[in-house]
Amino acid sequence: MAEVVERHGQASAESLQAERPRTRLAGRILSIRFHGKTGFADLYGGGARLQAYFRRDQLGEKGYRLFELLDLGDVIGVEGHLGRTKTGELTVFVAQVTLLAKALLPLPEKWHGLADVEQRYRQRYLDLIVNPGVRQIFETRARIIAFLRRFLEARGFLEVETPMMQLVAGGATARPFLTHHQALDLDLYLRIAPELYLKRLVVGGFDRVFEINRNFRNEGLSVRNNPEFTMLEFYQAYADYRVFMDLSEEMLTGLAENIAGSKKITYLDHSVDFSRWQRLSLREAICEYWLAGSPPKPAELAEATAVRRYAEQHDRWAERHPDRARTAEVPADSSAAVATGHLFEAVAERQLIRPTIVYDFPTELSPLAKQRDDDPTLAERFEIFAGGLELGNAFSELSDPLEQHARFLEQLRRRERGDLEAHQMDEDYVRALAYGMPPTAGEGIGVDRLTMLLTNTRSIREVILFPLLRPLRPEAPPESDSP
RNA sequence: GAGCCCGUAGCUCAGCCGGUAGAGCAUCUGCCUUUUAAGCAGAGGGUCCUGGGUUCGAAUCCCAGCGGGCUCACCA
């Protein structure tokens, strides 16, 4: 159907009258108007719409009777010639009609569409039939993924797939889902990140690899978080985080231009201009976007008690202005690193509308990132923000197996203290590093959030076809054996 | 997990100062041979989310539960 509309959409009434192009197509009826012994129906298919005109004197008794029995939602096939009506609309003048699928249940109303958010997600097929904008979001999502893939392939990156079910859930700070393999009698985690496997591949000689696939994190639902979400991760040997800062700016700016047709896009109430990137250190970002009176100096934020004091100052302000900022709520005994991390999220994150690279994260918060030579308390790591959304995270990879082993041990100590998100030990990964991993840069981009930004949607559920919802009735617990 | 808001026909919603449940679209019947939110005339359609309470009487007031949305928390 889209093809027919594409080919004849511009044709004049005269040329159609002369040619009377024969056509045969199928679609779903979303609107029907009877006029005695004739009638019109609007057919939808493949994202296109085309009007069909039915006449008793053309279809005969039997054919016209079938037309009269059609309901909204039915899928029909029609044969006839194309032309234009009085009002100039491209129309199939139907000679023959066939019922292809009967709708037993009525469609939601055409004018208001389906507005109930819950039903839209539970019955996404109805949402897609009735609300044209929804289809567009997912078409855009597919174009975004295609662009990212083309961009990386053009630069020599190889697409790979690594395990979703892992013995050790590593590569990120998050709680994993647990599952079980019957035949091996083995507990496995759904992956929280592909990172450690992708770096094993770099060790194996794939100097440039990427993966676009699902991650699973056992955490709360929100307008920005769905337990399963799509991540692009890519790794490049013989590069560092500076190289990836440039690459990220190029990739995301190119993406915005390709998808939106402009470097300047609108997200919610904001204008986001990808021709104006800024780069700030984490501490600079805190000072730059400080709201609670006179801001700290970046150097002051290296010291734990000073950071905690500023965090208290911020929290007092934030409590009076809950609409402007969140509270940092820095735990009393936390290090400068942890306190700065909290403070950054509370002060700056929401305000990072314009595309921004925030770098110099504390090493303590970055167990897989290489530390800076001149200051080992800071890691060669950055995050990407735009439109107030955190879009990506990248760093020069830690390739020293001894240092990595020590970092894992530190993470284990945190686990023992009850930190469920702390990394597990991954001995095999450390062993891989011990065979020598070239200096490598790595990056992860949240594809869902990128789609939110580029389709101007405020909820991640709008860009995931089937977001997780509670079941309406508690499902019977699944049998443990597969069928 | 916490706070606030919401749940009425297949869909979108009104009714909420307690007094027999409504509209538009959709469905069914009739009329109408170029309409496009077609039109006109008529008909059918309800677990007012669920359960309890107050009351002579509850969609409406109160309590609990279920589901959803938003904010926060968890979380990059």
Side-chain angles (χ1 to χ4, degrees):
Chain A
M1 232 182 81
E3 247 176 74
V4 171
V5 174
E6 174 82 14
R7 184 159 0 125
H8 300 285
Q10 302 305 319
S12 69
E14 292 73 27
S15 72
L16 288 171
Q17 179 65 33
E19 286 178 43
R20 292 171 64 89
R22 299 288 303 175
T23 187
R24 185 163 172 267
L25 51 84
R28 187 187 295 276
I29 301 171
L30 286 195
S31 166
I32 195 160
R33 300 173 289 283
F34 292 99
H35 292 269
K37 295 171 185 62
T38 70
F40 294 89
D42 294 337
L43 302 184
Y44 284 75
R49 172 189 165 278
L50 185 64
Q51 176 172 269
Y53 182 49
F54 301 80
R55 299 171 63 105
R56 190 157 74 173
D57 54 15
Q58 289 293 310
L59 288 159
E61 277 308 319
K62 216 173 151 193
Y64 195 75
R65 181 62 191 146
L66 171 59
F67 169 66
E68 285 181 319
L69 288 170
L70 292 175
D71 290 322
L72 296 191
D74 289 352
V75 178
I76 60 170
V78 296
E79 267 186 83
H81 71 271
L82 286 170
R84 288 195 184 273
T85 56
K86 263 188 201 169
T87 54
E89 177 156 350
L90 185 67
T91 301
V92 199
F93 291 80
V94 179
Q96 223 174 6
V97 56
T98 319
L99 179 67
L100 298 176
K102 183 70 192 168
L104 298 179
L105 294 171
L107 286 179
E109 197 210 353
K110 64 189 167 197
W111 187 242
H112 296 94
L114 182 64
D116 180 56
V117 175
E118 178 177 357
Q119 199 182 344
R120 287 185 44 230
Y121 298 157
R122 289 196 196 279
Q123 294 182 273
R124 185 67 97 175
Y125 43 90
L126 289 181
D127 194 24
L128 286 164
I129 290 171
V130 167
N131 297 322
V134 174
R135 185 192 176 93
Q136 274 170 22
I137 286 174
F138 292 100
E139 286 174 349
T140 302
R141 183 183 169 113
R143 280 166 51 219
I144 288 168
I145 291 172
F147 177 93
L148 296 172
R149 189 170 269 133
R150 272 200 314 276
F151 181 94
L152 290 168
E153 283 174 348
R155 283 157 186 78
F157 287 81
L158 179 75
E159 182 167 10
V160 296
E161 291 177 271
T162 60
M164 299 278 210
M165 300 161 81
Q166 304 179 345
L167 281 165
V168 179
T173 313
R175 288 181 68 175
F177 287 93
L178 189 61
T179 186
H180 187 77
H181 187 274
Q182 297 296 343
L184 296 179
D185 187 22
L186 189 63
D187 284 337
L188 290 165
Y189 297 105
L190 299 186
R191 76 174 185 194
I192 55 174
E195 169 152 355
L196 300 184
Y197 282 94
L198 290 171
K199 282 189 276 188
R200 282 174 171 94
L201 295 177
V202 175
V203 171
F206 284 130
D207 285 349
R208 297 184 182 199
V209 290
F210 75 99
E211 177 164 6
I212 301 174
N213 227 323
R214 220 71 63 82
N215 290 345
F216 306 87
R217 297 187 184 175
N218 209 335
E219 60 197 30
L221 308 168
S222 82
V223 84
R224 296 174 176 179
N225 295 70
N226 194 63
E228 53 177 314
F229 64 99
T230 301
M231 185 95 140
L232 160 68
E233 283 205 12
F234 53 100
Y235 290 82
Q236 178 174 341
Y238 312 108
D240 67 5
Y241 77 141
R242 287 180 198 81
V243 173
F244 266 24
M245 287 185 193
D246 295 339
L247 188 71
S248 302
E249 289 188 3
E250 189 189 342
M251 180 164 77
L252 295 180
T253 305
L255 179 69
E257 244 182 324
N258 182 273
I259 298 299
S262 162
K263 289 181 185 175
K264 205 167 174 176
I265 64 167
T266 299
Y267 184 62
L268 307 182
D269 302 329
H270 310 295
S271 172
V272 181
D273 186 352
F274 280 93
S275 62
R276 292 180 63 242
W277 283 82
Q278 67 174 341
R279 297 182 184 184
L280 296 170
S281 75
L282 186 81
R283 289 173 190 162
E284 283 167 358
I286 293 170
C287 304
E288 182 86 9
Y289 289 97
W290 191 256
L291 295 161
S294 65
K297 301 258 182 319
E300 291 178 89
L301 298 175
E303 206 273 311
T305 52
V307 185
R308 290 205 293 263
R309 200 174 59 242
Y310 278 112
E312 281 166 30
Q313 185 182 331
H314 169 82
D315 284 4
R316 278 196 301 275
W317 187 89
E319 271 166 31
R320 289 199 310 273
H321 305 89
D323 50 321
R324 301 275 311 277
R326 305 192 317 218
T327 50
E329 285 163 41
V330 173
D333 57 343
S334 55
S335 62
V338 170
T340 325
H342 276 86
L343 192 53
F344 167 73
E345 286 178 18
V347 173
E349 188 165 351
R350 271 191 195 184
Q351 300 186 71
L352 294 174
I353 302 303
R354 109 182 228 205
T356 302
I357 283 175
V358 177
Y359 60 93
D360 275 357
F361 277 68
T363 304
E364 196 183 321
L365 303 180
S366 318
L368 301 165
K370 186 175 168 185
Q371 65 275 32
R372 284 178 59 142
D373 289 336
D374 56 345
D375 182 356
T377 68
L378 295 178
E380 293 194 0
R381 171 180 171 194
F382 68 90
E383 290 193 347
I384 304 166
F385 296 86
L389 292 172
E390 181 199 332
L391 296 176
N393 179 25
F395 37 86
S396 306
E397 302 297 336
L398 176 59
S399 58
D400 176 347
L402 300 179
E403 171 70 14
Q404 185 66 74
H405 188 72
R407 301 256 192 109
F408 276 143
L409 288 177
E410 169 56 27
Q411 292 291 313
L412 284 184
R413 281 193 287 279
R414 289 193 190 194
R415 280 187 89 78
E416 278 160 21
R417 290 201 299 269
D419 181 354
L420 294 167
E421 287 95 32
H423 262 82
Q424 303 170 23
M425 170 64 74
D426 191 335
E427 298 279 4
D428 179 69
Y429 174 67
V430 174
R431 181 170 57 196
L433 293 184
Y435 285 98
M437 181 169 81
T440 299
E443 179 162 334
I445 302 264
V447 171
D448 311 277
R449 288 187 184 164
L450 205 49
T451 306
M452 289 165 66
L453 184 68
L454 292 169
T455 56
N456 196 15
T457 34
R458 63 175 278 106
S459 169
I460 198 167
R461 286 179 216 111
E462 293 294 336
V463 303
I464 292 176
L465 280 165
F466 299 101
L468 185 66
L469 298 176
R470 276 198 176 81
L472 276 180
R473 258 168 265 109
E475 305 270 346
E479 295 301 319
S480 51
D481 290 61
S482 328

